[in-house]
Amino acid sequence: MIGKKVVESKPVPMAKVKTILEDFQEEFELSYEQNLTLDHVTKFSKDSLENTEKLVEELEQIVKTKYAIRIADLMPQNLSDLRLLFAKERTPITKETLEKILEILDKYSVE
């Protein structure tokens, strides 16, 4: 990889990855890895890009961006699933905060 370096790195929700790959597919042929990624995000993306961005924006007021995106991608349904996302955090997250996150997720829940 001569001459290539990472300029910026930031987490992106699955819904955005899906949109990026679909737009790219219109102009170019996707590589094997890109096809696998598109297949994965098509199967597991929970909501539209617009709703996902609104959800992430609301969650960012409570938690860091990387966790907001992870929560939006996985859409945990209960407290125990949500706790697993924060299991490796050094600072414990309060039960009240977790419940507030679940309330926000209920607003955006897609069934």
Side-chain angles (χ1 to χ4, degrees):
M1 294 191 124
I2 298 174
K4 293 185 179 183
K5 66 178 183 175
V6 176
V7 176
E8 182 181 1
S9 176
K10 66 177 187 174
V12 182
M14 276 197 284
K16 179 138 181 144
V17 172
K18 181 180 175 186
T19 304
I20 291 168
L21 286 174
E22 287 173 344
D23 291 345
F24 187 78
Q25 186 178 31
E26 291 176 8
E27 295 182 38
F28 305 100
E29 187 174 332
L30 297 179
S31 69
Y32 175 73
E33 291 84 2
Q34 291 167 333
N35 272 318
L36 286 177
T37 304
L38 181 59
D39 183 48
H40 177 82
V41 296
T42 301
K43 287 179 184 174
F44 296 107
S45 183
K46 304 282 186 183
D47 207 353
S48 68
L49 178 59
E50 184 179 304
N51 285 342
T52 302
E53 286 176 342
K54 288 179 187 176
L55 174 59
V56 168
E57 193 175 298
E58 203 167 330
L59 288 170
E60 282 177 329
Q61 297 171 6
I62 302 171
V63 294
K64 295 178 185 177
T65 303
K66 68 178 184 175
Y67 293 113
I69 290 172
R70 194 177 302 161
I71 291 167
D73 284 345
L74 298 175
M75 295 292 285
Q77 298 296 314
N78 56 44
L79 206 55
S80 61
D81 290 345
L82 188 55
R83 270 180 216 238
L84 289 173
L85 296 175
F86 296 99
K88 289 188 175 182
E89 273 298 293
R90 291 179 186 249
T91 55
I93 190 160
T94 64
K95 186 175 180 179
E96 293 80 26
T97 304
L98 293 173
E99 288 171 351
K100 191 171 184 179
I101 291 170
L102 285 175
E103 287 175 19
I104 294 170
L105 288 172
D106 284 342
K107 289 193 299 188
Y108 291 93
S109 181
V110 178
E111 295 291 325

